[in-house]
Amino acid sequence: MKIFVTGTDTDVGKTLLSCLLTRALNAAYWKPVQAGIEGGTDSETLSGWIDPDRVLPERFRLTQPMSPNQAAERDGVAVCLDEFQIPVVDTPLVVEGAGGLMVPLNDRELVIDLIAHLDLPVVLAARSGLGTLNHTLLSLEALRARELVCLGIVLFGPSHPENERDLVHWGKVPVLGRIDVDRRLVPEDAEPLLAKLDLGPLRAFWQP
Ligand SMILES: Nc1ncnc2c1ncn2[C@@H]1O[C@H](COP(=O)(O)OP(=O)(O)OP(=O)(O)O)[C@@H](O)[C@H]1O
Ligand SMILES: C[C@H](N)[C@H](N)CCCCCC(=O)O
Ligand SMILES: [Mg+2]
């Protein structure tokens, strides 16, 4: 069971979702491209939530908090799809992208091309409130155009039932749940937060 966690944007909740999914699935975690290391990386965050031995080394650790193509340019590093091989692990694996789907890795390749290269189904982190319909439906359309599978959407933010309804209607993808981040979340919050998510569509993908 291998999943790529992507989002409609940066700072949308991919890392928090990855924390929850890795715990729920007893998975390893891999961040192929980390852009920005000052103030802590996503892998360091995950190491607080799961056994650090299950946090695999990033393929690229770029110093600047920018789009990977720009951060790579600053660091004088060449990022390219051929450099990414899915890690071999004997557990499920959660892979977290950088930013959203159309974020460039270099002059020719985008994060969505990395998903296709790794050949993984996607879980999409999205905001719950005003603006999410456009961002989320565009993301789903981009995935469909490349014949990539989206197993579900996880919403971050306050309750907005009409948005949830419209995302399911137009996106034709289940909303797995919603997480309202109203304070600093700690690993002890994992179980109650996971209770808000329906991981059935994920498990059904591998065990129909
Ligand atoms: N433990 C936490 N408790 C509460 N809020 C958090 C926590 N960790 C991150 N946040 C906040 O939640 C939001 C989503 O953060 P998150 O790191 O999950 O984004 P992301 O989609 O992974 O971004 P990136 O593209 O940088 O990987 C941000 O506003 C962040 O500041
Ligand atoms: C720096 C940030 N936290 C991520 N690592 C990279 C986000 C790239 C977003 C690019 C963009 O959509 O304009
Ligand atoms: Mg992140």
Side-chain angles (χ1 to χ4, degrees):
M1 187 188 278
K2 294 182 169 64
I3 296 172
F4 195 104
V5 174
T6 188
T8 52
D9 199 354
T10 186
D11 257 358
V12 75
K14 297 185 301 293
T15 301
L16 284 173
L17 178 57
S18 299
C19 289
L20 297 176
L21 291 180
T22 44
R23 280 179 75 123
L25 304 174
N26 256 324
Y29 170 84
W30 183 44
K31 178 94 177 177
V33 186
Q34 173 68 44
I37 52 177
E38 216 169 280
T41 63
D42 288 353
S43 296
E44 285 160 5
T45 300
L46 261 287
S47 297
W49 287 66
I50 59 167
D51 177 353
D53 288 347
R54 292 196 167 188
V55 178
L56 307 171
E58 302 97 335
R59 176 62 190 84
F60 291 96
R61 273 170 71 90
L62 306 170
T63 59
Q64 302 302 310
M66 304 172 83
S67 179
N69 65 319
Q70 298 169 6
E73 198 178 339
R74 291 273 183 107
D75 286 353
V77 170
V79 173
C80 108
L81 279 193
D82 295 345
E83 297 287 335
F84 297 96
Q85 261 116 41
I86 196 138
V88 178
V89 282
D90 57 7
T91 62
L93 178 69
V94 171
V95 182
E96 182 186 341
L101 291 165
M102 303 303 278
V103 165
L105 298 172
N106 54 42
D107 287 350
R108 307 167 312 282
E109 294 157 336
L110 305 166
V111 166
I112 197 168
D113 299 316
L114 173 61
I115 301 173
H117 173 78
L118 298 174
D119 193 20
L120 295 179
V122 160
V123 176
L124 182 66
R127 298 196 176 92
S128 58
L130 190 63
T132 198
L133 297 180
N134 183 51
H135 293 153
T136 306
L137 296 175
L138 280 172
S139 298
L140 293 173
E141 188 153 303
L143 288 167
R144 280 210 183 92
R146 287 167 171 80
E147 297 184 355
L148 294 169
V149 174
C150 180
L151 298 175
I153 302 166
V154 175
L155 295 172
F156 285 82
S159 171
H160 198 312
E162 294 96 330
N163 276 353
E164 252 181 72
R165 178 201 62 200
D166 288 348
L167 287 174
V168 172
H169 174 75
W170 288 97
K172 300 192 169 35
V173 163
V175 171
L176 306 178
R178 183 180 59 80
I179 310 271
D180 197 359
V181 185
D182 51 3
R183 64 191 161 78
R184 186 94 212 138
L185 299 175
V186 292
E188 289 67 39
D189 293 314
E191 294 316 312
L193 289 175
L194 274 170
K196 294 166 182 271
L197 300 185
D198 172 15
L199 301 185
L202 268 61
R203 300 189 200 279
F205 182 73
W206 284 276
Q207 288 164 336

